[in-house]
Amino acid sequence: MKSRGGNRISTKWIPIFCASFFLLGILLSNRMWSPPESSGQLVSRARREQELRMVSEDCDSKKPADDKDVMQQVHKTHEAIQSLDKSIESLQMELAASRSAMELGSGSGDQKARKKMFMVIGINTAFSSRKRRDSVRGTWMPQGEKLLQLEREKGIVVRFMIGHSATSNSILDRAIDSEDAQHKDFLRLEHVEGYHELSAKTKIFFSTAVAMWDADYYIKVDDDVHVNLGMLATTLARHRSKPRVYIGCMKSGPVLSQKNVKYHEPEYWKFGEEGNKYFRHATGQIYALSKDLATYISINQPILHKYANEDVSLGSWFIGLEVEHIDDRNMCCGTPPDCEWKAQAGNVCIASFDWSCSGICKSVEKIKDVHRRCGEGDGAVWDALI
């Protein structure tokens, strides 16, 4: 009896166990079952989910359009900045050109405003080339009143460019003064003439021309080359919207290191190993520069390096600049029958000469025949649309 009584649970623990089990049941029921939502709560939650989906879809649909609009605005802004940069560059070049013109004018006592022109052509000539000049005057270069009319009506200036002799007021200078008084077609340069000074003469020509005329183009041509002025003007007019163009027959001749040969380059080592070629540049018989490039030469004339060959020097001045090189083979046609065939086919040449002579061989005797067979006609320049 005692052993059974010893195993019984005391009655005082029964209420405690009941309360514990009751609390445990409440905890478990709260964890495992959530109260059912009312119909209003269900509708509200569904509406919120639908609104979220709609907002999400709207954002997804609008994002590409918004990105596209933003990119268009960025592109327009970039174009506007580029346009502004070009305008600033142009104004800076104009300011520098005006300053250069004023400095040159103050030195000569002439401070007239620059005349607006379409193109200025400088025909490179020498003291000994009177017969060549007369042959040019008798063919493609207008004379007298027609030369002035060409300037007034078409904005085309044509001048023989020449410097001075090493001796002041020499017989050579007086001969040029007399010739100029007769024809009024010279541009005198502050330059001492000499074959090995062609690079310096080129710099001075562009600087002087920029100071005197505000032209769209500046052209250098040799006095033993035949030129069709109308075709030249028409061709240049097609490139008028481009800011920096360098137009001519582009070539890349060998760098000649041997002494005592024609076109020897004393600074051949600057172009790499022996046998290398020059960078692309326009052949020296004729080439055209837009206003910005001619102005660049005028502004930087003192520090532009001169190589042995004038055409190489000119090409080197544009290395590293944003310049468009235009290779126009119509500026280096051969003499008849080459230019004659092209003219008959309707492809009139701008300039004609013989590569073997770096000009028209025996130009004094031959240029009239070239003009007769390859010339565009005297009225072409007056009809040119520029």
Side-chain angles (χ1 to χ4, degrees):
M1 291 295 293
K2 285 183 180 181
S3 60
R4 288 182 183 178
N7 291 333
R8 289 180 182 175
I9 298 172
S10 174
T11 55
K12 65 181 181 181
W13 290 98
I14 293 175
I16 295 173
F17 282 125
C18 289
S20 300
F21 284 118
F22 178 73
L23 293 173
L24 182 62
I26 292 174
L27 291 172
L28 290 173
S29 62
N30 285 340
R31 291 282 184 94
M32 298 182 68
W33 289 282
S34 58
E37 293 179 324
S38 65
S39 59
Q41 289 174 319
L42 289 172
V43 171
S44 178
R45 188 175 70 173
R47 184 180 292 114
R48 286 199 302 272
E49 291 177 352
Q50 186 178 7
E51 290 174 351
L52 287 172
R53 282 197 302 272
M54 291 175 65
V55 170
S56 178
E57 291 174 358
D58 187 53
C59 287
D60 292 340
S61 64
K62 285 185 177 180
K63 186 174 181 180
D66 290 343
D67 288 347
K68 187 176 180 180
D69 291 341
V70 170
M71 291 305 296
Q72 287 178 347
Q73 290 298 324
V74 169
H75 183 66
K76 289 180 180 178
T77 303
H78 182 64
E79 287 184 338
I81 292 173
Q82 284 185 322
S83 177
L84 181 60
D85 286 343
K86 289 180 180 179
S87 298
I88 292 173
E89 288 177 4
S90 180
L91 288 171
Q92 288 175 335
M93 294 292 279
E94 286 290 336
L95 180 61
S98 298
R99 187 183 300 115
S100 177
M102 289 179 65
E103 290 174 354
L104 187 62
S106 63
S108 62
D110 183 7
Q111 298 189 30
K112 294 180 181 179
R114 295 188 303 158
K115 294 180 180 179
K116 180 62 183 173
M117 294 292 172
F118 174 61
M119 63 181 182
V120 175
I121 302 173
I123 306 173
N124 184 38
T125 192
F127 290 120
S128 59
S129 298
R130 173 65 190 260
K131 290 184 179 180
R132 283 188 180 182
R133 290 191 291 274
D134 285 339
S135 69
V136 170
R137 292 182 181 117
T139 53
W140 62 267
M141 180 181 178
Q143 287 297 291
E145 180 57 31
K146 285 189 176 181
L147 189 64
L148 298 176
Q149 185 182 358
L150 192 65
E151 294 181 25
R152 292 193 305 266
E153 297 183 9
K154 306 300 289 187
I156 299 175
V157 177
V158 187
R159 295 284 190 277
F160 288 106
M161 58 162 170
I162 193 167
H164 299 272
S165 65
T167 305
S168 177
N169 197 31
S170 70
I171 188 173
L172 297 174
D173 292 309
R174 291 198 300 271
I176 293 296
D177 291 339
S178 175
E179 189 178 343
D180 190 28
Q182 179 184 355
H183 295 283
K184 301 185 186 323
D185 56 5
F186 276 93
L187 174 62
R188 300 303 296 269
L189 306 176
E190 292 300 323
H191 167 75
V192 176
E193 286 291 321
Y195 179 78
H196 296 292
E197 295 298 326
L198 289 179
S199 295
K201 185 176 182 179
T202 298
K203 287 198 296 182
I204 295 171
F205 160 65
F206 285 116
S207 300
T208 305
V210 165
M212 295 182 65
W213 296 284
D214 178 16
D216 293 327
Y217 292 100
Y218 299 84
I219 299 96
K220 177 261 178 179
V221 59
D222 288 340
D223 61 5
D224 56 353
V225 172
H226 181 269
V227 178
N228 282 317
L229 290 174
M231 185 55 63
L232 174 61
T234 301
T235 301
L236 295 182
R238 291 200 295 266
H239 303 291
R240 210 169 190 172
S241 62
K242 301 172 183 178
R244 290 174 295 276
V245 289
Y246 172 31
I247 308 172
C249 288
M250 300 295 163
K251 67 173 184 176
S252 179
V255 181
L256 301 178
S257 59
Q258 302 87 354
K259 293 183 179 180
N260 302 320
V261 299
K262 193 175 183 180
Y263 307 127
H264 165 63
E265 178 58 72
E267 297 181 88
Y268 63 90
W269 60 273
K270 288 186 177 180
F271 299 91
E273 301 298 326
E274 286 191 24
N276 278 359
K277 291 186 174 182
Y278 288 114
F279 39 77
R280 289 285 172 184
H281 60 278
T283 185
Q285 284 83 356
I286 181 173
Y287 50 77
L289 305 181
S290 59
K291 176 167 62 176
D292 281 3
L293 294 184
T295 305
Y296 172 82
I297 293 174
S298 175
I299 296 168
N300 297 285
Q301 180 192 162
I303 59 172
L304 294 177
H305 186 68
K306 297 175 293 183
Y307 289 102
N309 302 302
E310 168 250 345
D311 52 356
V312 172
S313 296
L314 184 85
S316 73
W317 300 336
F318 304 142
I319 295 293
L321 301 183
E322 287 292 341
V323 175
E324 182 177 353
H325 291 57
I326 297 176
D327 184 19
D328 193 328
R329 309 314 290 184
N330 263 357
M331 295 181 78
C332 54
C333 296
T335 55
D338 180 36
C339 58
E340 187 176 22
W341 289 340
K342 291 179 180 178
Q344 291 173 354
N347 187 24
V348 177
C349 291
I350 296 171
S352 302
F353 58 89
D354 300 306
W355 283 104
S356 60
C357 299
S358 298
I360 297 176
C361 298
K362 298 181 179 179
S363 64
V364 173
E365 296 84 6
K366 192 176 177 182
I367 195 169
K368 287 185 179 180
D369 181 61
V370 176
H371 185 66
R372 179 179 60 84
R373 297 168 65 180
C374 300
E376 62 190 351
D378 294 338
V381 67
W382 306 102
D383 297 332
L385 299 176
I386 57 176

